[in-house]
Amino acid sequence: MQQPLVSVIIPIYNVEKYLRECLDSVVNQTLREIEIILINDGSTDNCGKICDEYAAKDKRIIVIHKENSGLGAAYNSGLDIAKGEYIGFVESDDWIEFNMYEELYFKAKNNDSDLVKCMFYDYNSTREPKDKLYMQKHEDFELFNCAPDNKIFKIEDYPKLLIYHSSIWASLYHKTLINRLRFQESKGATYQDFPFAIEALVLANKITTLRKAFYHYRQEPLNASSVKRTDQNLIKMIDQCIYARTRLISLGVFEKFKEEFYAHAISPLYGFYYQLQDDLKPLFFEKLVKFFNNSLSENLSYKYFNQREKDFLFCILKKDFSKTLLCNKQSLLYKFKKILKFLLGRRYI
């Protein structure tokens, strides 16, 4: 191959339990003209050996062994050497359908697209069915409701797509677009795909969607909402929201898309806040107050917010920490009433 059609970048850190399933799904793609870049980001398990094993069997695989420096730096290391006409990303504990890159590539090629976005599956081994199509909490923000199929567009035409799940790995990006983008390098930070995803959508001149699911996004019990998070790195996710806002400001488009930006940001911030262990909530709350209490957040219509998100945000704007805890209890009561109403088949409770 003088130039691969697609470069697939896979950052890897201590996922030996899932890595072979991930790599098998990529090396066996029906689109054979691909370059597979494995970034072993200082793994302390057997991931490095597995990477070398696969590279020895497949000349399309390039392995980079580096000191651990975080997801953003790992992605950038892959971008630095990627030669493909298009670029894709796969997380090393996920896996993909064998025809994913063939379908995405030809969709992109036929439409001369800068960016193609598809649907994906949400996988959890502790439930039935384990693998199901990912659905947004509000159907208005599903991919098929945010943007049309079989149409080339810019984000100005369908800005609701900015609210859809970041899912940078359920997308394919033209090299000319990727050359204008970088991941923020912040070791230990979470949610680093959000700034990249939102900037890519804003910069792309030709966007298309594919209403098929090819990617299997693994969310095991440790990521479940019933588990109290104790990792302080999760608090850094708000720094990624700040960075994403800064990027939109620098591009001169923040005011145009700020309703969609905050609608995207509030859902994960709300979710992570209530999953955090109680002793970490005050620190996260302080960061939320700084994020929302400024002129950049003024004059929002909240048209994309649901009621629980509005209640949560108003607590932040009033700097009322104790009321945020009450908001969650009220939300849980509301959910309980909905379930009870369904079970009893009654219109009102």
Side-chain angles (χ1 to χ4, degrees):
M1 288 186 297
Q2 290 184 343
Q3 182 189 25
L5 301 181
V6 174
S7 292
V8 185
I9 300 173
I10 308 177
I12 298 164
Y13 181 72
N14 288 355
V15 288
E16 62 176 313
K17 180 179 179 181
Y18 307 116
L19 184 55
R20 291 183 186 277
E21 182 180 24
C22 173
L23 297 183
D24 286 342
S25 72
V26 177
V27 300
N28 290 305
Q29 287 290 295
T30 54
L31 184 70
R32 303 302 298 169
E33 298 88 351
I34 63 174
E35 171 187 58
I36 305 166
I37 303 172
L38 309 182
I39 313 296
N40 177 29
D41 191 33
S43 296
T44 56
D45 60 5
N46 289 314
C47 283
K49 293 179 181 178
I50 295 172
C51 290
D52 291 337
E53 173 193 327
Y54 274 75
K57 297 176 183 177
D58 194 326
K59 294 182 179 179
R60 299 174 302 166
I61 295 177
I62 301 168
V63 181
I64 297 176
H65 296 284
K66 60 189 290 295
E67 291 184 6
N68 179 257
S69 52
L71 184 62
Y75 275 136
N76 287 338
S77 296
L79 290 175
D80 287 339
I81 65 169
K83 301 181 181 68
E85 181 184 0
Y86 284 85
I87 311 292
F89 305 103
V90 176
E91 293 192 354
S92 51
D93 54 349
D94 300 336
W95 76 98
I96 61 178
E97 294 293 312
F98 294 135
N99 63 335
M100 174 171 170
Y101 285 119
E102 180 177 15
E103 294 240 14
L104 286 179
Y105 175 77
F106 284 107
K107 179 77 171 183
K109 197 69 176 172
N110 290 338
N111 292 283
D112 191 27
S113 303
D114 299 315
L115 191 160
V116 179
K117 200 164 190 65
C118 68
M119 302 169 74
F120 61 95
Y121 297 101
D122 171 17
Y123 178 85
N124 186 328
S125 64
T126 65
R127 67 166 186 235
E128 290 297 337
K130 296 180 175 65
D131 215 13
K132 63 182 182 180
L133 190 66
Y134 171 80
M135 302 294 285
Q136 294 273 137
K137 293 178 180 178
H138 196 299
E139 64 179 14
D140 283 353
F141 307 139
E142 295 294 352
L143 182 62
F144 48 79
N145 286 328
C146 288
D149 199 21
N150 296 319
K151 184 175 181 179
I152 303 167
F153 60 91
K154 295 186 70 171
I155 198 62
E156 288 87 345
D157 302 320
Y158 299 96
K160 275 205 304 186
L161 187 57
L162 292 168
I163 305 174
Y164 185 67
H165 193 287
S166 299
S167 53
I168 63 167
W169 22 259
S171 306
L172 199 61
Y173 308 86
H174 196 278
K175 187 73 185 298
T176 54
L177 174 61
I178 283 287
N179 286 341
R180 302 173 65 186
L181 297 164
R182 298 291 284 182
F183 288 87
Q184 187 189 30
E185 299 188 11
S186 179
K187 186 176 180 180
T190 57
Y191 214 46
Q192 287 179 298
D193 52 351
F194 174 47
F196 185 94
I198 203 166
E199 188 173 0
L201 287 168
V202 167
L203 289 174
N205 289 314
K206 295 180 180 179
I207 304 170
T208 50
T209 64
L210 185 55
R211 294 182 182 180
K212 294 182 181 180
F214 304 100
Y215 193 98
H216 299 265
Y217 176 47
R218 189 187 302 273
Q219 298 193 83
E220 294 292 12
L222 285 177
N223 292 326
S225 59
S226 60
V227 178
K228 287 295 182 183
R229 309 261 190 164
T230 58
D231 187 354
Q232 294 200 34
N233 285 332
L234 288 167
I235 298 175
K236 295 180 182 178
M237 71 170 295
I238 200 166
D239 297 330
Q240 298 302 309
C241 294
I242 294 170
Y243 178 70
R245 185 170 64 187
T246 301
R247 294 301 304 147
L248 292 183
I249 292 170
S250 70
L251 293 171
V253 297
F254 177 72
E255 286 298 321
K256 184 186 296 185
F257 299 122
K258 80 173 186 176
E259 293 281 356
E260 291 78 14
F261 169 80
Y262 283 116
H264 187 132
I266 193 68
S267 182
L269 290 173
Y270 174 96
F272 278 123
Y273 181 76
Y274 288 117
Q275 292 169 35
L276 274 175
Q277 191 167 287
D278 289 344
D279 63 343
L280 295 177
K281 281 188 173 68
L283 176 58
F284 199 12
F285 181 78
E286 288 179 16
K287 285 179 169 285
L288 288 168
V289 168
K290 290 179 181 178
F291 179 60
F292 285 107
N293 279 271
N294 57 64
S295 59
L296 295 171
S297 306
E298 292 177 352
N299 303 317
L300 284 175
S301 70
Y302 310 111
K303 61 182 178 180
Y304 298 126
F305 286 43
N306 61 36
Q307 190 59 51
R308 66 178 184 180
E309 291 168 348
K310 288 180 183 177
D311 292 343
F312 177 62
L313 181 57
F314 294 154
C315 290
I316 293 168
L317 295 176
K318 294 177 181 177
K319 303 179 183 179
D320 193 335
F321 172 71
S322 60
K323 246 188 177 176
T324 61
L325 306 180
L326 183 60
C327 282
N328 190 43
K329 291 177 181 177
Q330 291 172 337
S331 177
L332 291 173
L333 180 61
Y334 172 73
K335 286 181 181 179
F336 174 74
K337 284 186 175 181
K338 284 187 69 176
I339 294 170
L340 193 60
K341 182 170 70 173
F342 173 77
L343 292 175
L344 297 178
R346 293 172 56 185
R347 188 174 180 183
Y348 299 106
I349 291 185

